[in-house]
Amino acid sequence: MINRLAATTLPADVPAFLRTDEAINEIEYLGPEPDRWRSPAEPELVAAQAPEHFIDLELADVLGPLPHKRIDFEAKVLAAGQRPEKVGLQPWQTTEVWERLKAALRQYRAMTAAHQDTRPVEQAILFYAGWLGHYVGDGSQPLHTSIQYNGWTGPNPNGYTTDHKIHSQFEGAFVAATMHAPDVQKQMTPATAINGDIFDAYVAYLRHTATFVEKTYQLEKAGGFTGQGSDESRQFTTARLAAGASMLRDMIYSAWVSSGIPVNDPYAGK
Ligand SMILES: [Zn+2]
């Protein structure tokens, strides 16, 4: 739903191939793609990619400011005697996929200017845009940003659920039973290009999501994710999906806008 809404609300000044029904269907199809990489039949892939869906911000922030580069963060985590796959790699994966998308859009501009056939690069762009959507969608779900990802841990004075059910109950069964794309679309923000550093903007988005962790548990405790839930739980969930769709649309749009900034060819003269 997030991928489809983002794709259908892209501003009119993105290339036309991105706004066709075929493109929208492809981007939608790719939303769950990284969840298709969780089979024990592909163990090396599972180990590498599972941590890219989440970040436990409480654990990451203990180590200081988040470095922009994945490998610097991993080194920092290991130096602290911890493991990157336990802390999570969400913002790095999202930023790297976004940069792949931007690079492909820059290539599209170059091939267009050279009057070359752009269909091959269009396929790559659709893949990156759809793949990106998975992580941005995960990043709208509070339980992807916290050690409280599936049942409360640690001191629990408010008696939140400790069962390992809330995560899929909220984002799976409850969303499927109650959420409708037209309601979500009404809550989306107007399209805008993201100014400034993409990693910083994305981390700010994750931190905003993380402010709703406890609210998610309060709603669960009140029965908000059972059956049709409550007005409050449906509004809350609609707003989360709208935040994800808005951010994904703005990130795709920003990749297009920033792909127009000329870069020096690193191989020029070599
Ligand atoms: Zn995921």
Side-chain angles (χ1 to χ4, degrees), residues 141-143 148-152 160-174 212-222 224-225 236:
Q141 213 286 46
L143 304 186
Q148 310 296 357
Y149 64 91
N150 196 20
W152 197 265
Y160 299 132
T161 183
T162 56
D163 288 346
H164 305 310
K165 290 180 189 163
I166 182 173
H167 192 114
S168 68
Q169 182 186 1
F170 170 47
E171 73 173 30
F174 182 67
F212 299 108
V213 172
E214 186 162 4
K215 185 74 196 174
T216 308
Y217 277 85
Q218 288 167 349
L219 289 167
E220 189 281 339
K221 189 178 176 183
F225 302 136
F236 173 82

PDB file of all heavy atoms in Angstrom, residues 141-143 148-152 160-174 212-222 224-225 236:
ATOM      1  N   GLN A 141       7.013   2.155  10.897  1.00  0.00           N
ATOM      2  CA  GLN A 141       6.448   1.256  11.923  1.00  0.00           C
ATOM      3  C   GLN A 141       7.272   1.432  13.194  1.00  0.00           C
ATOM      4  O   GLN A 141       8.452   1.073  13.213  1.00  0.00           O
ATOM      5  CB  GLN A 141       6.576  -0.169  11.382  1.00  0.00           C
ATOM      6  CG  GLN A 141       5.534  -1.185  11.732  1.00  0.00           C
ATOM      7  CD  GLN A 141       5.561  -1.722  13.140  1.00  0.00           C
ATOM      8  OE1 GLN A 141       5.685  -0.966  14.107  1.00  0.00           O
ATOM      9  NE2 GLN A 141       5.412  -3.021  13.259  1.00  0.00           N
ATOM     10  N   PRO A 142       6.698   1.973  14.247  1.00  0.00           N
ATOM     11  CA  PRO A 142       7.491   2.249  15.454  1.00  0.00           C
ATOM     12  C   PRO A 142       8.294   1.047  15.939  1.00  0.00           C
ATOM     13  O   PRO A 142       9.427   1.203  16.417  1.00  0.00           O
ATOM     14  CB  PRO A 142       6.437   2.674  16.480  1.00  0.00           C
ATOM     15  CG  PRO A 142       5.324   3.239  15.656  1.00  0.00           C
ATOM     16  CD  PRO A 142       5.298   2.429  14.393  1.00  0.00           C
ATOM     17  N   LEU A 143       7.737  -0.156  15.793  1.00  0.00           N
ATOM     18  CA  LEU A 143       8.411  -1.324  16.351  1.00  0.00           C
ATOM     19  C   LEU A 143       9.646  -1.737  15.543  1.00  0.00           C
ATOM     20  O   LEU A 143      10.363  -2.640  15.952  1.00  0.00           O
ATOM     21  CB  LEU A 143       7.422  -2.490  16.497  1.00  0.00           C
ATOM     22  CG  LEU A 143       6.166  -2.167  17.336  1.00  0.00           C
ATOM     23  CD1 LEU A 143       5.328  -3.425  17.541  1.00  0.00           C
ATOM     24  CD2 LEU A 143       6.504  -1.523  18.676  1.00  0.00           C
ATOM     25  N   GLN A 148      12.022  -2.525  21.790  1.00  0.00           N
ATOM     26  CA  GLN A 148      10.681  -3.053  22.122  1.00  0.00           C
ATOM     27  C   GLN A 148       9.997  -3.550  20.846  1.00  0.00           C
ATOM     28  O   GLN A 148       8.833  -3.250  20.584  1.00  0.00           O
ATOM     29  CB  GLN A 148       9.829  -1.953  22.782  1.00  0.00           C
ATOM     30  CG  GLN A 148      10.502  -1.217  23.923  1.00  0.00           C
ATOM     31  CD  GLN A 148      10.824  -2.124  25.117  1.00  0.00           C
ATOM     32  OE1 GLN A 148      10.494  -3.302  25.129  1.00  0.00           O
ATOM     33  NE2 GLN A 148      11.469  -1.559  26.117  1.00  0.00           N
ATOM     34  N   TYR A 149      10.713  -4.298  20.016  1.00  0.00           N
ATOM     35  CA  TYR A 149      10.196  -4.580  18.677  1.00  0.00           C
ATOM     36  C   TYR A 149       9.102  -5.627  18.642  1.00  0.00           C
ATOM     37  O   TYR A 149       8.323  -5.680  17.695  1.00  0.00           O
ATOM     38  CB  TYR A 149      11.321  -4.935  17.704  1.00  0.00           C
ATOM     39  CG  TYR A 149      12.073  -6.195  18.047  1.00  0.00           C
ATOM     40  CD1 TYR A 149      11.683  -7.428  17.546  1.00  0.00           C
ATOM     41  CD2 TYR A 149      13.197  -6.143  18.874  1.00  0.00           C
ATOM     42  CE1 TYR A 149      12.378  -8.581  17.866  1.00  0.00           C
ATOM     43  CE2 TYR A 149      13.894  -7.283  19.192  1.00  0.00           C
ATOM     44  CZ  TYR A 149      13.480  -8.495  18.679  1.00  0.00           C
ATOM     45  OH  TYR A 149      14.159  -9.631  18.986  1.00  0.00           O
ATOM     46  N   ASN A 150       9.048  -6.473  19.687  1.00  0.00           N
ATOM     47  CA  ASN A 150       7.986  -7.501  19.648  1.00  0.00           C
ATOM     48  C   ASN A 150       7.712  -8.036  21.039  1.00  0.00           C
ATOM     49  O   ASN A 150       8.016  -9.182  21.340  1.00  0.00           O
ATOM     50  CB  ASN A 150       8.380  -8.630  18.690  1.00  0.00           C
ATOM     51  CG  ASN A 150       7.199  -9.492  18.301  1.00  0.00           C
ATOM     52  OD1 ASN A 150       6.039  -9.072  18.433  1.00  0.00           O
ATOM     53  ND2 ASN A 150       7.465 -10.697  17.837  1.00  0.00           N
ATOM     54  N   GLY A 151       7.131  -7.194  21.891  1.00  0.00           N
ATOM     55  CA  GLY A 151       6.905  -7.534  23.293  1.00  0.00           C
ATOM     56  C   GLY A 151       7.821  -6.691  24.163  1.00  0.00           C
ATOM     57  O   GLY A 151       9.012  -6.546  23.865  1.00  0.00           O
ATOM     58  N   TRP A 152       7.240  -6.089  25.216  1.00  0.00           N
ATOM     59  CA  TRP A 152       7.992  -5.156  26.067  1.00  0.00           C
ATOM     60  C   TRP A 152       9.087  -5.893  26.814  1.00  0.00           C
ATOM     61  O   TRP A 152       8.875  -7.007  27.305  1.00  0.00           O
ATOM     62  CB  TRP A 152       7.036  -4.475  27.044  1.00  0.00           C
ATOM     63  CG  TRP A 152       7.615  -3.242  27.652  1.00  0.00           C
ATOM     64  CD1 TRP A 152       8.267  -3.134  28.844  1.00  0.00           C
ATOM     65  CD2 TRP A 152       7.592  -1.926  27.088  1.00  0.00           C
ATOM     66  NE1 TRP A 152       8.661  -1.830  29.049  1.00  0.00           N
ATOM     67  CE2 TRP A 152       8.258  -1.067  27.986  1.00  0.00           C
ATOM     68  CE3 TRP A 152       7.079  -1.372  25.897  1.00  0.00           C
ATOM     69  CZ2 TRP A 152       8.423   0.308  27.752  1.00  0.00           C
ATOM     70  CZ3 TRP A 152       7.242  -0.022  25.666  1.00  0.00           C
ATOM     71  CH2 TRP A 152       7.904   0.807  26.576  1.00  0.00           C
ATOM     72  N   TYR A 160       2.638  -3.464  29.839  1.00  0.00           N
ATOM     73  CA  TYR A 160       2.463  -3.700  28.402  1.00  0.00           C
ATOM     74  C   TYR A 160       2.704  -5.166  28.081  1.00  0.00           C
ATOM     75  O   TYR A 160       3.416  -5.869  28.803  1.00  0.00           O
ATOM     76  CB  TYR A 160       3.424  -2.822  27.597  1.00  0.00           C
ATOM     77  CG  TYR A 160       3.204  -1.344  27.806  1.00  0.00           C
ATOM     78  CD1 TYR A 160       4.275  -0.487  28.067  1.00  0.00           C
ATOM     79  CD2 TYR A 160       1.924  -0.789  27.751  1.00  0.00           C
ATOM     80  CE1 TYR A 160       4.075   0.876  28.275  1.00  0.00           C
ATOM     81  CE2 TYR A 160       1.719   0.565  27.962  1.00  0.00           C
ATOM     82  CZ  TYR A 160       2.795   1.392  28.222  1.00  0.00           C
ATOM     83  OH  TYR A 160       2.592   2.729  28.430  1.00  0.00           O
ATOM     84  N   THR A 161       2.169  -5.591  26.936  1.00  0.00           N
ATOM     85  CA  THR A 161       2.303  -7.003  26.574  1.00  0.00           C
ATOM     86  C   THR A 161       3.776  -7.402  26.422  1.00  0.00           C
ATOM     87  O   THR A 161       4.586  -6.650  25.869  1.00  0.00           O
ATOM     88  CB  THR A 161       1.542  -7.323  25.274  1.00  0.00           C
ATOM     89  OG1 THR A 161       1.660  -8.726  25.021  1.00  0.00           O
ATOM     90  CG2 THR A 161       2.098  -6.560  24.074  1.00  0.00           C
ATOM     91  N   THR A 162       4.087  -8.585  26.935  1.00  0.00           N
ATOM     92  CA  THR A 162       5.422  -9.152  26.745  1.00  0.00           C
ATOM     93  C   THR A 162       5.382 -10.327  25.770  1.00  0.00           C
ATOM     94  O   THR A 162       6.413 -10.923  25.466  1.00  0.00           O
ATOM     95  CB  THR A 162       6.011  -9.631  28.090  1.00  0.00           C
ATOM     96  OG1 THR A 162       5.091 -10.560  28.688  1.00  0.00           O
ATOM     97  CG2 THR A 162       6.231  -8.469  29.047  1.00  0.00           C
ATOM     98  N   ASP A 163       4.186 -10.645  25.291  1.00  0.00           N
ATOM     99  CA  ASP A 163       4.075 -11.710  24.283  1.00  0.00           C
ATOM    100  C   ASP A 163       4.765 -11.267  22.995  1.00  0.00           C
ATOM    101  O   ASP A 163       4.767 -10.082  22.660  1.00  0.00           O
ATOM    102  CB  ASP A 163       2.590 -11.987  23.967  1.00  0.00           C
ATOM    103  CG  ASP A 163       1.880 -12.695  25.113  1.00  0.00           C
ATOM    104  OD1 ASP A 163       2.579 -13.204  26.011  1.00  0.00           O
ATOM    105  OD2 ASP A 163       0.635 -12.705  25.100  1.00  0.00           O
ATOM    106  N   HIS A 164       5.274 -12.230  22.276  1.00  0.00           N
ATOM    107  CA  HIS A 164       5.957 -11.914  21.019  1.00  0.00           C
ATOM    108  C   HIS A 164       4.952 -11.945  19.865  1.00  0.00           C
ATOM    109  O   HIS A 164       5.088 -12.722  18.915  1.00  0.00           O
ATOM    110  CB  HIS A 164       7.109 -12.900  20.790  1.00  0.00           C
ATOM    111  CG  HIS A 164       8.067 -12.948  21.946  1.00  0.00           C
ATOM    112  ND1 HIS A 164       8.616 -11.807  22.512  1.00  0.00           N
ATOM    113  CD2 HIS A 164       8.552 -13.979  22.659  1.00  0.00           C
ATOM    114  CE1 HIS A 164       9.411 -12.151  23.517  1.00  0.00           C
ATOM    115  NE2 HIS A 164       9.384 -13.474  23.631  1.00  0.00           N
ATOM    116  N   LYS A 165       3.930 -11.092  19.978  1.00  0.00           N
ATOM    117  CA  LYS A 165       2.848 -11.093  18.985  1.00  0.00           C
ATOM    118  C   LYS A 165       2.550  -9.718  18.422  1.00  0.00           C
ATOM    119  O   LYS A 165       1.996  -9.601  17.331  1.00  0.00           O
ATOM    120  CB  LYS A 165       1.556 -11.595  19.641  1.00  0.00           C
ATOM    121  CG  LYS A 165       1.537 -13.068  19.990  1.00  0.00           C
ATOM    122  CD  LYS A 165       0.190 -13.419  20.624  1.00  0.00           C
ATOM    123  CE  LYS A 165       0.208 -14.833  21.198  1.00  0.00           C
ATOM    124  NZ  LYS A 165      -0.901 -15.027  22.145  1.00  0.00           N
ATOM    125  N   ILE A 166       2.828  -8.667  19.178  1.00  0.00           N
ATOM    126  CA  ILE A 166       2.327  -7.333  18.840  1.00  0.00           C
ATOM    127  C   ILE A 166       2.817  -6.861  17.474  1.00  0.00           C
ATOM    128  O   ILE A 166       2.090  -6.184  16.737  1.00  0.00           O
ATOM    129  CB  ILE A 166       2.699  -6.312  19.957  1.00  0.00           C
ATOM    130  CG1 ILE A 166       2.129  -4.917  19.633  1.00  0.00           C
ATOM    131  CG2 ILE A 166       4.196  -6.258  20.193  1.00  0.00           C
ATOM    132  CD1 ILE A 166       2.303  -3.908  20.772  1.00  0.00           C
ATOM    133  N   HIS A 167       4.039  -7.239  17.103  1.00  0.00           N
ATOM    134  CA  HIS A 167       4.626  -6.730  15.859  1.00  0.00           C
ATOM    135  C   HIS A 167       3.792  -7.143  14.634  1.00  0.00           C
ATOM    136  O   HIS A 167       3.336  -6.297  13.871  1.00  0.00           O
ATOM    137  CB  HIS A 167       6.073  -7.237  15.740  1.00  0.00           C
ATOM    138  CG  HIS A 167       6.862  -6.569  14.664  1.00  0.00           C
ATOM    139  ND1 HIS A 167       7.953  -5.766  14.913  1.00  0.00           N
ATOM    140  CD2 HIS A 167       6.720  -6.580  13.315  1.00  0.00           C
ATOM    141  CE1 HIS A 167       8.440  -5.308  13.769  1.00  0.00           C
ATOM    142  NE2 HIS A 167       7.720  -5.797  12.779  1.00  0.00           N
ATOM    143  N   SER A 168       3.571  -8.428  14.496  1.00  0.00           N
ATOM    144  CA  SER A 168       2.818  -8.881  13.311  1.00  0.00           C
ATOM    145  C   SER A 168       1.324  -8.620  13.461  1.00  0.00           C
ATOM    146  O   SER A 168       0.629  -8.368  12.470  1.00  0.00           O
ATOM    147  CB  SER A 168       3.080 -10.365  13.035  1.00  0.00           C
ATOM    148  OG  SER A 168       2.521 -11.153  14.051  1.00  0.00           O
ATOM    149  N   GLN A 169       0.842  -8.624  14.702  1.00  0.00           N
ATOM    150  CA  GLN A 169      -0.577  -8.312  14.918  1.00  0.00           C
ATOM    151  C   GLN A 169      -0.891  -6.908  14.407  1.00  0.00           C
ATOM    152  O   GLN A 169      -1.902  -6.689  13.728  1.00  0.00           O
ATOM    153  CB  GLN A 169      -0.886  -8.400  16.425  1.00  0.00           C
ATOM    154  CG  GLN A 169      -2.344  -8.153  16.767  1.00  0.00           C
ATOM    155  CD  GLN A 169      -2.576  -8.094  18.276  1.00  0.00           C
ATOM    156  OE1 GLN A 169      -1.639  -8.213  19.072  1.00  0.00           O
ATOM    157  NE2 GLN A 169      -3.816  -7.911  18.662  1.00  0.00           N
ATOM    158  N   PHE A 170       0.005  -5.952  14.723  1.00  0.00           N
ATOM    159  CA  PHE A 170      -0.192  -4.559  14.332  1.00  0.00           C
ATOM    160  C   PHE A 170       0.006  -4.376  12.827  1.00  0.00           C
ATOM    161  O   PHE A 170      -0.893  -3.950  12.100  1.00  0.00           O
ATOM    162  CB  PHE A 170       0.774  -3.681  15.143  1.00  0.00           C
ATOM    163  CG  PHE A 170       0.862  -2.249  14.687  1.00  0.00           C
ATOM    164  CD1 PHE A 170      -0.276  -1.500  14.427  1.00  0.00           C
ATOM    165  CD2 PHE A 170       2.101  -1.635  14.541  1.00  0.00           C
ATOM    166  CE1 PHE A 170      -0.191  -0.169  14.015  1.00  0.00           C
ATOM    167  CE2 PHE A 170       2.200  -0.307  14.142  1.00  0.00           C
ATOM    168  CZ  PHE A 170       1.054   0.421  13.874  1.00  0.00           C
ATOM    169  N   GLU A 171       1.210  -4.716  12.322  1.00  0.00           N
ATOM    170  CA  GLU A 171       1.521  -4.375  10.924  1.00  0.00           C
ATOM    171  C   GLU A 171       0.941  -5.373   9.931  1.00  0.00           C
ATOM    172  O   GLU A 171       0.863  -5.064   8.739  1.00  0.00           O
ATOM    173  CB  GLU A 171       3.037  -4.250  10.728  1.00  0.00           C
ATOM    174  CG  GLU A 171       3.765  -5.582  10.753  1.00  0.00           C
ATOM    175  CD  GLU A 171       5.250  -5.477  10.396  1.00  0.00           C
ATOM    176  OE1 GLU A 171       5.862  -4.437  10.672  1.00  0.00           O
ATOM    177  OE2 GLU A 171       5.779  -6.461   9.848  1.00  0.00           O
ATOM    178  N   GLY A 172       0.567  -6.555  10.417  1.00  0.00           N
ATOM    179  CA  GLY A 172       0.040  -7.576   9.519  1.00  0.00           C
ATOM    180  C   GLY A 172      -1.469  -7.660   9.569  1.00  0.00           C
ATOM    181  O   GLY A 172      -2.179  -7.026   8.782  1.00  0.00           O
ATOM    182  N   ALA A 173      -1.964  -8.424  10.540  1.00  0.00           N
ATOM    183  CA  ALA A 173      -3.405  -8.723  10.580  1.00  0.00           C
ATOM    184  C   ALA A 173      -4.252  -7.459  10.711  1.00  0.00           C
ATOM    185  O   ALA A 173      -5.262  -7.302  10.014  1.00  0.00           O
ATOM    186  CB  ALA A 173      -3.691  -9.669  11.748  1.00  0.00           C
ATOM    187  N   PHE A 174      -3.846  -6.530  11.590  1.00  0.00           N
ATOM    188  CA  PHE A 174      -4.684  -5.349  11.817  1.00  0.00           C
ATOM    189  C   PHE A 174      -4.713  -4.444  10.587  1.00  0.00           C
ATOM    190  O   PHE A 174      -5.782  -3.949  10.186  1.00  0.00           O
ATOM    191  CB  PHE A 174      -4.189  -4.573  13.049  1.00  0.00           C
ATOM    192  CG  PHE A 174      -5.038  -3.376  13.352  1.00  0.00           C
ATOM    193  CD1 PHE A 174      -6.350  -3.527  13.784  1.00  0.00           C
ATOM    194  CD2 PHE A 174      -4.536  -2.092  13.185  1.00  0.00           C
ATOM    195  CE1 PHE A 174      -7.151  -2.418  14.041  1.00  0.00           C
ATOM    196  CE2 PHE A 174      -5.329  -0.979  13.450  1.00  0.00           C
ATOM    197  CZ  PHE A 174      -6.639  -1.142  13.873  1.00  0.00           C
ATOM    198  N   PHE A 212       6.570   7.000  18.738  1.00  0.00           N
ATOM    199  CA  PHE A 212       5.275   6.321  18.856  1.00  0.00           C
ATOM    200  C   PHE A 212       5.385   4.890  19.397  1.00  0.00           C
ATOM    201  O   PHE A 212       4.402   4.138  19.349  1.00  0.00           O
ATOM    202  CB  PHE A 212       4.567   6.292  17.500  1.00  0.00           C
ATOM    203  CG  PHE A 212       4.277   7.670  16.955  1.00  0.00           C
ATOM    204  CD1 PHE A 212       4.983   8.170  15.870  1.00  0.00           C
ATOM    205  CD2 PHE A 212       3.307   8.468  17.537  1.00  0.00           C
ATOM    206  CE1 PHE A 212       4.728   9.439  15.367  1.00  0.00           C
ATOM    207  CE2 PHE A 212       3.042   9.751  17.044  1.00  0.00           C
ATOM    208  CZ  PHE A 212       3.753  10.229  15.961  1.00  0.00           C
ATOM    209  N   VAL A 213       6.556   4.505  19.878  1.00  0.00           N
ATOM    210  CA  VAL A 213       6.723   3.126  20.366  1.00  0.00           C
ATOM    211  C   VAL A 213       5.775   2.855  21.530  1.00  0.00           C
ATOM    212  O   VAL A 213       5.003   1.886  21.516  1.00  0.00           O
ATOM    213  CB  VAL A 213       8.187   2.855  20.770  1.00  0.00           C
ATOM    214  CG1 VAL A 213       8.304   1.498  21.456  1.00  0.00           C
ATOM    215  CG2 VAL A 213       9.107   2.912  19.551  1.00  0.00           C
ATOM    216  N   GLU A 214       5.811   3.714  22.533  1.00  0.00           N
ATOM    217  CA  GLU A 214       4.976   3.440  23.707  1.00  0.00           C
ATOM    218  C   GLU A 214       3.490   3.539  23.350  1.00  0.00           C
ATOM    219  O   GLU A 214       2.669   2.754  23.842  1.00  0.00           O
ATOM    220  CB  GLU A 214       5.325   4.381  24.866  1.00  0.00           C
ATOM    221  CG  GLU A 214       4.549   3.988  26.122  1.00  0.00           C
ATOM    222  CD  GLU A 214       5.120   4.554  27.410  1.00  0.00           C
ATOM    223  OE1 GLU A 214       6.089   5.332  27.360  1.00  0.00           O
ATOM    224  OE2 GLU A 214       4.574   4.204  28.476  1.00  0.00           O
ATOM    225  N   LYS A 215       3.147   4.485  22.487  1.00  0.00           N
ATOM    226  CA  LYS A 215       1.752   4.619  22.043  1.00  0.00           C
ATOM    227  C   LYS A 215       1.257   3.313  21.420  1.00  0.00           C
ATOM    228  O   LYS A 215       0.105   2.899  21.624  1.00  0.00           O
ATOM    229  CB  LYS A 215       1.640   5.766  21.039  1.00  0.00           C
ATOM    230  CG  LYS A 215       0.230   6.073  20.597  1.00  0.00           C
ATOM    231  CD  LYS A 215      -0.515   6.779  21.707  1.00  0.00           C
ATOM    232  CE  LYS A 215      -2.011   6.771  21.489  1.00  0.00           C
ATOM    233  NZ  LYS A 215      -2.708   7.332  22.665  1.00  0.00           N
ATOM    234  N   THR A 216       2.126   2.662  20.656  1.00  0.00           N
ATOM    235  CA  THR A 216       1.758   1.396  20.027  1.00  0.00           C
ATOM    236  C   THR A 216       1.383   0.360  21.092  1.00  0.00           C
ATOM    237  O   THR A 216       0.384  -0.359  20.958  1.00  0.00           O
ATOM    238  CB  THR A 216       2.918   0.886  19.147  1.00  0.00           C
ATOM    239  OG1 THR A 216       3.327   1.937  18.257  1.00  0.00           O
ATOM    240  CG2 THR A 216       2.512  -0.325  18.326  1.00  0.00           C
ATOM    241  N   TYR A 217       2.170   0.327  22.167  1.00  0.00           N
ATOM    242  CA  TYR A 217       1.875  -0.621  23.251  1.00  0.00           C
ATOM    243  C   TYR A 217       0.608  -0.235  24.011  1.00  0.00           C
ATOM    244  O   TYR A 217      -0.164  -1.099  24.439  1.00  0.00           O
ATOM    245  CB  TYR A 217       3.081  -0.721  24.196  1.00  0.00           C
ATOM    246  CG  TYR A 217       4.114  -1.683  23.656  1.00  0.00           C
ATOM    247  CD1 TYR A 217       5.062  -1.258  22.734  1.00  0.00           C
ATOM    248  CD2 TYR A 217       4.110  -3.020  24.021  1.00  0.00           C
ATOM    249  CE1 TYR A 217       5.996  -2.129  22.208  1.00  0.00           C
ATOM    250  CE2 TYR A 217       5.037  -3.907  23.507  1.00  0.00           C
ATOM    251  CZ  TYR A 217       5.973  -3.455  22.595  1.00  0.00           C
ATOM    252  OH  TYR A 217       6.884  -4.343  22.066  1.00  0.00           O
ATOM    253  N   GLN A 218       0.395   1.074  24.183  1.00  0.00           N
ATOM    254  CA  GLN A 218      -0.840   1.513  24.873  1.00  0.00           C
ATOM    255  C   GLN A 218      -2.070   1.093  24.072  1.00  0.00           C
ATOM    256  O   GLN A 218      -3.063   0.630  24.632  1.00  0.00           O
ATOM    257  CB  GLN A 218      -0.813   3.038  25.043  1.00  0.00           C
ATOM    258  CG  GLN A 218       0.196   3.501  26.085  1.00  0.00           C
ATOM    259  CD  GLN A 218       0.448   5.017  26.022  1.00  0.00           C
ATOM    260  OE1 GLN A 218       0.031   5.696  25.086  1.00  0.00           O
ATOM    261  NE2 GLN A 218       1.145   5.527  27.026  1.00  0.00           N
ATOM    262  N   LEU A 219      -1.991   1.269  22.758  1.00  0.00           N
ATOM    263  CA  LEU A 219      -3.132   0.899  21.912  1.00  0.00           C
ATOM    264  C   LEU A 219      -3.376  -0.599  21.955  1.00  0.00           C
ATOM    265  O   LEU A 219      -4.523  -1.056  22.022  1.00  0.00           O
ATOM    266  CB  LEU A 219      -2.885   1.374  20.469  1.00  0.00           C
ATOM    267  CG  LEU A 219      -2.954   2.894  20.258  1.00  0.00           C
ATOM    268  CD1 LEU A 219      -2.399   3.273  18.889  1.00  0.00           C
ATOM    269  CD2 LEU A 219      -4.390   3.394  20.399  1.00  0.00           C
ATOM    270  N   GLU A 220      -2.288  -1.371  21.943  1.00  0.00           N
ATOM    271  CA  GLU A 220      -2.430  -2.831  22.006  1.00  0.00           C
ATOM    272  C   GLU A 220      -3.097  -3.239  23.309  1.00  0.00           C
ATOM    273  O   GLU A 220      -4.003  -4.088  23.318  1.00  0.00           O
ATOM    274  CB  GLU A 220      -1.043  -3.490  21.878  1.00  0.00           C
ATOM    275  CG  GLU A 220      -1.089  -5.006  21.703  1.00  0.00           C
ATOM    276  CD  GLU A 220      -1.318  -5.797  22.988  1.00  0.00           C
ATOM    277  OE1 GLU A 220      -1.067  -5.266  24.090  1.00  0.00           O
ATOM    278  OE2 GLU A 220      -1.765  -6.959  22.876  1.00  0.00           O
ATOM    279  N   LYS A 221      -2.663  -2.581  24.406  1.00  0.00           N
ATOM    280  CA  LYS A 221      -3.202  -2.929  25.727  1.00  0.00           C
ATOM    281  C   LYS A 221      -4.706  -2.657  25.792  1.00  0.00           C
ATOM    282  O   LYS A 221      -5.465  -3.388  26.450  1.00  0.00           O
ATOM    283  CB  LYS A 221      -2.470  -2.123  26.806  1.00  0.00           C
ATOM    284  CG  LYS A 221      -2.804  -2.569  28.216  1.00  0.00           C
ATOM    285  CD  LYS A 221      -2.011  -1.774  29.251  1.00  0.00           C
ATOM    286  CE  LYS A 221      -2.452  -2.172  30.658  1.00  0.00           C
ATOM    287  NZ  LYS A 221      -1.765  -1.383  31.684  1.00  0.00           N
ATOM    288  N   ALA A 222      -5.136  -1.623  25.079  1.00  0.00           N
ATOM    289  CA  ALA A 222      -6.560  -1.257  25.073  1.00  0.00           C
ATOM    290  C   ALA A 222      -7.359  -2.065  24.044  1.00  0.00           C
ATOM    291  O   ALA A 222      -8.527  -1.757  23.790  1.00  0.00           O
ATOM    292  CB  ALA A 222      -6.698   0.238  24.789  1.00  0.00           C
ATOM    293  N   GLY A 224      -6.663  -2.234  20.839  1.00  0.00           N
ATOM    294  CA  GLY A 224      -6.752  -1.462  19.599  1.00  0.00           C
ATOM    295  C   GLY A 224      -6.352  -2.209  18.342  1.00  0.00           C
ATOM    296  O   GLY A 224      -6.656  -1.743  17.240  1.00  0.00           O
ATOM    297  N   PHE A 225      -5.656  -3.328  18.490  1.00  0.00           N
ATOM    298  CA  PHE A 225      -5.224  -4.059  17.286  1.00  0.00           C
ATOM    299  C   PHE A 225      -5.934  -5.409  17.163  1.00  0.00           C
ATOM    300  O   PHE A 225      -5.494  -6.289  16.429  1.00  0.00           O
ATOM    301  CB  PHE A 225      -3.704  -4.237  17.289  1.00  0.00           C
ATOM    302  CG  PHE A 225      -2.955  -2.934  17.365  1.00  0.00           C
ATOM    303  CD1 PHE A 225      -1.861  -2.784  18.215  1.00  0.00           C
ATOM    304  CD2 PHE A 225      -3.351  -1.837  16.598  1.00  0.00           C
ATOM    305  CE1 PHE A 225      -1.175  -1.573  18.298  1.00  0.00           C
ATOM    306  CE2 PHE A 225      -2.672  -0.618  16.674  1.00  0.00           C
ATOM    307  CZ  PHE A 225      -1.582  -0.490  17.530  1.00  0.00           C
ATOM    308  N   PHE A 236      -4.409   6.155  14.191  1.00  0.00           N
ATOM    309  CA  PHE A 236      -2.970   6.041  14.430  1.00  0.00           C
ATOM    310  C   PHE A 236      -2.289   5.275  13.292  1.00  0.00           C
ATOM    311  O   PHE A 236      -1.269   5.706  12.749  1.00  0.00           O
ATOM    312  CB  PHE A 236      -2.755   5.307  15.765  1.00  0.00           C
ATOM    313  CG  PHE A 236      -1.332   4.953  16.079  1.00  0.00           C
ATOM    314  CD1 PHE A 236      -0.474   5.884  16.620  1.00  0.00           C
ATOM    315  CD2 PHE A 236      -0.851   3.666  15.842  1.00  0.00           C
ATOM    316  CE1 PHE A 236       0.845   5.557  16.919  1.00  0.00           C
ATOM    317  CE2 PHE A 236       0.464   3.329  16.135  1.00  0.00           C
ATOM    318  CZ  PHE A 236       1.310   4.280  16.676  1.00  0.00           C
TER     319      PHE A 236
END
